[in-house]
Amino acid sequence: MNSMDFSLPPDTHTVILGVGDAFGLMRGKRIPASNWQTVCENGNAMSLVLFTLDMTCDVWETPYANFDNGYPDMHIFPLATPVSLPWEPGVAVALARAESLDHAPIPIDPRNALIKQVERAQAMGYDVFVGPELEFYLLDPKTGKPTDEGIQVYGLGRSARLEHIVGPIRRQINECGIPIEQSNPEYAPGQVEVNIRYSEALQAADHVVLFKSLVRQLGIAHNYLATFMPKPFYEQCGSGFHTHYSLWKNGKNVFADEGKINSNGRAFIAGLQRRMAETALIGSPTVNGFRRREPYSFCPVNTSWGYDNRTAGIRVIEGKDSSVRIEKRDAGADANPYLLLATDIAAGLDGIELGLEPTEPTIGNAYEKAIGEPIPRELSDAIRLARGSDWLKDVIGADQWELRCQISERELRFFAGQVTKVEVDRYLKTL
């Protein structure tokens, strides 16, 4: 039973309630306001297969959900008071949490992996804060192509041309309780970036799940296809999911000393460096995600770190003590935020607990003279490293680890079983 008060906004007739799935996509139901109190008290039943679906909703047998156990139900409960959708009068939305029918945590719920690391940090005396940066494309829903031309990154003229859709994303999603700091056109036609203000780690991941869902819904309302596909156009810039980390204790940023990164911050960096390769699968679970991971793409290909260096895998930003932070730059926009933050935080906390030291910082072009190890640039290599990682299995749990590996193995097999149009065009009449 859930005794908290989740009262609906006035004049609400429908509530959207959902959870983040295996890819961090929000899936759920629309509930009449007349049934809302019952849902708050008893939960809403959904098949827990939701946590094993691929992005096409394909179902297969996994160790935790299969034909032998009948693909059982779970219950979802609201996490917060629903907020009204400004573009859909009478409709409110709330993110949910999931539990099994016997009120236990669900091992394959990605959110639980992050809860574990947040609790670990708290036991060490730290609050983890994360600032997410997400890139995405706004495309014509019929053609799948951009509706604008040229790059003009940060261009205010291009911003004005996109304001009819990016403006509502900024303003109306902010009204839904997700604090938006800024937006700008990115380095490709149709691509934009929106930054969410930093917050406690679990809340930051919840914000990402809800944000991505609301962006898609707003896109539909304005006749756009909003996509977080990492590399929709090979010749254009990919869409990343950059994460800015800081640890706080007693109101102080423990990464900072007089505006500079300190030994705690360097140890956190060292922990990230140690695990970046074997967790590449978490940041890029699909074949397409690895198309971003190319030199000179502003996506890192190694574990180097540097001061304000966007060619490195880990970028340190200094300034006021409150703004000193560590940015990890390798993940794609399709990464599950719960698992991404969980593995990054686990690695960083390991670095602090073990007193690790990072490499020397990379000065200059990290694609050419990196001080650090390579990270996978192919999905097959990422799967191999993840399969061999007892550390990853422990951090996200054995059931979740097996599921993540299976998801990516299935994607790899699917692509291996295709004869592409490029192959036909190139070879059919010439060989």
Side-chain angles (χ1 to χ4, degrees):
M1 298 286 289
N2 194 329
S3 60
M4 294 182 66
D5 179 20
F6 296 113
S7 300
L8 297 178
D11 301 319
T12 298
H13 57 71
T14 299
V15 185
I16 301 171
L17 183 67
V19 294
D21 71 359
F23 287 86
L25 304 176
M26 188 174 171
R27 296 187 187 273
K29 297 182 180 181
R30 288 195 171 217
I31 300 164
S34 59
N35 194 42
W36 179 243
Q37 191 58 41
T38 300
V39 169
C40 291
E41 293 174 358
N42 302 319
N44 191 279
M46 296 176 62
S47 172
L48 60 75
V49 75
L50 177 148
F51 289 127
T52 73
L53 297 172
D54 71 10
M55 73 293 296
T56 69
C57 288
D58 195 11
V59 176
W60 72 99
E61 290 200 77
T62 63
Y64 198 78
N66 49 61
F67 284 104
D68 287 338
N69 66 15
Y71 291 98
D73 266 352
M74 63 182 178
H75 281 158
I76 64 172
F77 294 87
L79 279 166
T81 301
V83 294
S84 297
L85 293 185
W87 61 91
E88 198 170 353
V91 178
V93 63
L95 197 64
R97 62 176 181 84
E99 61 181 43
S100 66
L101 298 185
D102 58 358
H103 308 294
I106 298 171
I108 57 171
D109 179 354
R111 195 171 187 269
N112 288 328
L114 180 54
I115 290 173
K116 176 183 174 182
Q117 295 306 317
V118 167
E119 291 175 346
R120 174 189 174 195
Q122 290 172 343
M124 295 170 65
Y126 301 129
D127 293 315
V128 185
F129 282 80
V130 184
E133 290 182 359
L134 285 158
E135 297 164 333
F136 56 95
Y137 277 81
L138 294 165
L139 307 174
D140 183 292
K142 294 182 179 178
T143 66
K145 302 295 184 182
T147 60
D148 65 330
E149 297 178 353
I151 297 174
Q152 291 303 314
V153 62
Y154 302 124
L156 296 179
R158 186 168 165 227
S159 289
R161 287 192 293 273
L162 290 169
E163 185 66 6
H164 65 283
I165 173 62
V166 179
I169 288 173
R170 262 195 339 269
R171 297 189 305 273
Q172 295 183 342
I173 290 181
N174 198 78
E175 291 173 30
C176 290
I178 300 175
I180 304 300
E181 288 195 323
Q182 59 218 0
S183 67
N184 61 271
E186 261 298 337
Y187 200 67
Q191 190 185 41
V192 298
E193 178 179 304
V194 175
N195 298 341
I196 302 171
R197 182 170 176 77
Y198 73 92
S199 59
E200 184 275 327
L202 190 59
Q203 184 180 57
D206 288 340
H207 280 165
V208 170
V209 171
L210 187 55
F211 172 82
K212 292 170 74 171
S213 180
L214 296 181
V215 167
R216 288 188 180 92
Q217 293 179 52
L218 262 169
I220 292 169
H222 290 265
N223 198 33
Y224 276 90
L225 168 64
T227 180
F228 292 85
M229 180 180 178
K231 192 76 169 176
F233 309 107
Y234 187 77
E235 70 280 4
Q236 300 292 350
C237 187
S239 291
F241 179 2
H242 302 162
T243 46
H244 294 246
Y245 294 101
S246 58
L247 298 185
W248 292 71
K249 187 175 187 177
N250 299 325
K252 175 179 170 56
N253 182 358
V254 302
F255 285 173
D257 281 333
E258 297 182 350
K260 302 294 184 182
I261 197 82
N262 62 16
S263 59
N264 288 321
R266 289 193 295 273
F268 196 93
I269 291 168
L272 291 176
Q273 286 186 305
R274 190 183 191 193
R275 302 299 181 183
M276 279 182 74
E278 66 197 87
T279 59
L281 191 71
I282 301 298
S284 297
T286 68
V287 172
N288 184 260
F290 280 84
R291 296 191 188 280
R292 285 180 60 250
R293 295 176 180 253
E294 293 291 334
Y296 302 98
S297 64
F298 292 104
C299 177
V301 295
N302 52 61
T303 65
S304 61
W305 73 280
Y307 295 98
D308 198 15
N309 187 342
R310 286 182 169 86
T311 69
I314 301 166
R315 174 176 169 246
V316 170
I317 298 99
E318 298 183 323
K320 294 181 179 179
D321 276 6
S322 60
S323 62
V324 172
R325 60 197 186 273
I326 295 165
E327 178 191 18
K328 185 166 174 285
R329 296 177 51 83
D330 63 320
D334 62 337
N336 185 298
Y338 299 121
L339 297 177
L340 178 64
L341 269 58
T343 51
D344 287 353
I345 292 167
L349 293 179
D350 284 354
I352 291 175
E353 284 190 329
L354 298 173
L356 301 180
E357 283 292 331
T359 64
E360 290 297 312
T362 294
I363 308 298
N365 186 350
Y367 293 117
E368 291 187 356
K369 48 185 178 181
I371 305 175
E373 299 299 319
I375 53 180
R377 290 172 53 189
E378 299 286 344
L379 181 58
S380 56
D381 293 332
I383 293 170
R384 176 178 53 80
L385 291 177
R387 277 287 185 197
S389 176
D390 290 333
W391 180 88
L392 180 59
K393 183 190 294 187
D394 178 66
V395 168
I396 66 176
D399 290 317
Q400 182 68 248
W401 171 82
E402 178 62 30
L403 175 62
R404 305 319 299 182
C405 293
Q406 284 190 17
I407 285 173
S408 293
E409 286 163 349
R410 292 179 80 253
E411 290 300 300
L412 194 62
R413 285 196 300 271
F414 175 81
F415 276 84
Q418 307 302 308
V419 175
T420 66
K421 184 178 184 301
V422 171
E423 293 170 90
V424 173
D425 291 346
R426 188 169 179 84
Y427 304 134
L428 187 67
K429 296 180 180 179
T430 58
L431 295 178

